[in-house]
Amino acid sequence: MKALVVYATITGNNKDVADLVTESLEDHDVDVEVNEISVADPADFEDVDICVVCPYTYGEGTLPDEGLDFFDDLKEEELEGKVYGVAGSGDTFYGDDFCRAVDAFGKAFDETGATKGSENVHINLTPDGDDVKTIDKFAEELVKKAQELND
Ligand SMILES: Cc1cc2nc3c(=O)[nH]c(=O)nc-3n(C[C@H](O)[C@H](O)[C@H](O)COP(=O)(O)O)c2cc1C
C-alpha cells in the first residue's frame, strides 16, 4: 500500500505532524512519500492509496500562501477509490479560526470523490504525547479504510 503525505510549514510544527503520520503509516507497512506543498502536485495522489495533507493555518483562518495553487488543483482532481486524511497544527489562541486550513482541505478532498478515512486532526502548536496517540489512531484508521476499499 502507498501513501503521499503533503505538508506546509513555516516554523516546523506541521513538518513534525507529517513525520509522525509518516512513521505511523510505515508501522503499518505503508510505503510513504513526503512532499512540501509548494513542490507537490495533487495529481501525484492518483498514484497512491492514501492521500494526506498537513497544513498550517495563517492570517485569520487562511490557507498557506504557498499552497493556494495546490489547493485549487486538488479540487479538480478525481480521487475516487482513494482514502484521504487531513491532520494539521494551528493555535487554539485563534478561537473559531483554529486549524481552519485543515477543514478547508478536508472539504477540497470531499470534492474529489475520495473517501474520508478518519476525522480531521487538529493539533495545538507542537504535537505532544496525546497528539502522537491521536496520530497513531488516525494512521491506523486510514490504513483500515484503504484495505476495505481494496477488498
Ligand atoms: C500571523 C499568524 C496568524 C495565525 N493564524 C492562525 C489561525 O487563524 N488559526 C490557527 O489555528 N493558527 C493560526 N496561527 C498559528 C499557526 O498556525 C501555528 O503556530 C502552527 O503551529 C504553525 O505551524 P508551522 O510550525 O508548521 O508553521 C497563526 C500564526 C501566526 C504567526
Side-chain angles (χ1 to χ4, degrees), residues 8-15 56-62 89-91 94 97-100 125:
T9 191
I10 294 180
T11 59
N13 292 337
N14 283 282
K15 173 73 165 65
Y56 67 84
T57 304
Y58 240 53
E60 280 165 8
T62 57
S89 160
D91 186 338
Y94 291 91
D97 290 330
F98 176 51
C99 284
R100 271 236 182 142
L125 300 170

Side-chain angles (χ1 to χ4, degrees), residues 17-76:
V17 174
D19 287 345
L20 288 167
V21 171
T22 299
E23 283 167 28
S24 294
L25 288 171
E26 285 175 346
D27 285 344
H28 293 278
D29 292 326
V30 179
D31 181 7
V32 188
E33 192 189 328
V34 187
N35 249 337
E36 195 276 322
I37 202 160
S38 62
V39 294
D41 183 346
D44 292 338
F45 283 138
E46 292 168 20
D47 302 327
V48 300
D49 309 284
I50 298 173
C51 317
V52 179
V53 176
C54 304
Y56 67 84
T57 304
Y58 240 53
E60 280 165 8
T62 57
L63 296 169
D65 236 12
E66 71 279 24
L68 292 177
D69 287 346
F70 181 94
F71 183 80
D72 288 339
D73 291 346
L74 173 61
K75 289 191 282 188
E76 304 301 319

